[in-house]
């Protein structure tokens, strides 16, 4: 996952899949195909925020927030993730 504050682009990668989003825009791009998010990504104190469920739906994956590392983990469909708290979404 990367965020460029200059361009406001947020990129999430899982394997060869690339989900590209822009702050304030519900329209995203997954490997060249348009995707509509339920909620536009936004920033809080310079950090990009996006609904975990939007990422999970777009990538057909399980998405969990790793509090200890401060990162989003994207797991392939069917993966069992133990010890990572659910973000409630």
């Amino acid at each position: 996952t990367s965020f460029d504050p200059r361009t406001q682009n947020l990129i999430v990668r899982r394997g060869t899949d690339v989900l590209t989003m822009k702050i304030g825009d519900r329209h995203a791009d997954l490997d060249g195909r348009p995707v509509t998010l339920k909620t536009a990504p936004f920033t809080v104190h310079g950090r990009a925020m996006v609904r975990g469920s939007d990422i999970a739906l777009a990538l057909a994956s399980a998405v969990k927030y790793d509090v200890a590392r401060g990162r989003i983990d994207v797991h392939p469909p069917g993966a069992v993730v133990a010890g990572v708290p659910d973000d409630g979404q």
Side-chain angles (χ1 to χ4, degrees), residues 10-84:
L10 175 64
I11 298 172
V12 176
R13 290 181 176 86
R14 187 203 67 192
T16 59
D17 293 326
V18 179
L19 176 63
T20 305
M21 300 167 280
K22 189 169 187 76
I23 298 300
D25 190 350
R26 289 183 51 225
H27 300 95
D29 181 90
L30 176 62
D31 298 329
R33 296 181 316 271
V35 175
T36 301
L37 308 172
K38 284 189 175 189
T39 306
F42 58 96
T43 58
V44 174
H45 303 293
R47 295 185 71 176
M49 304 289 175
V50 64
R51 285 175 51 107
S53 59
D54 280 337
I55 295 171
L57 285 171
L59 296 175
S61 300
V63 176
K64 300 290 180 182
Y65 180 66
D66 184 336
V67 176
R69 294 187 173 115
R71 72 177 189 197
I72 296 170
D73 293 324
V74 181
H75 302 280
V80 176
V81 182
V84 180

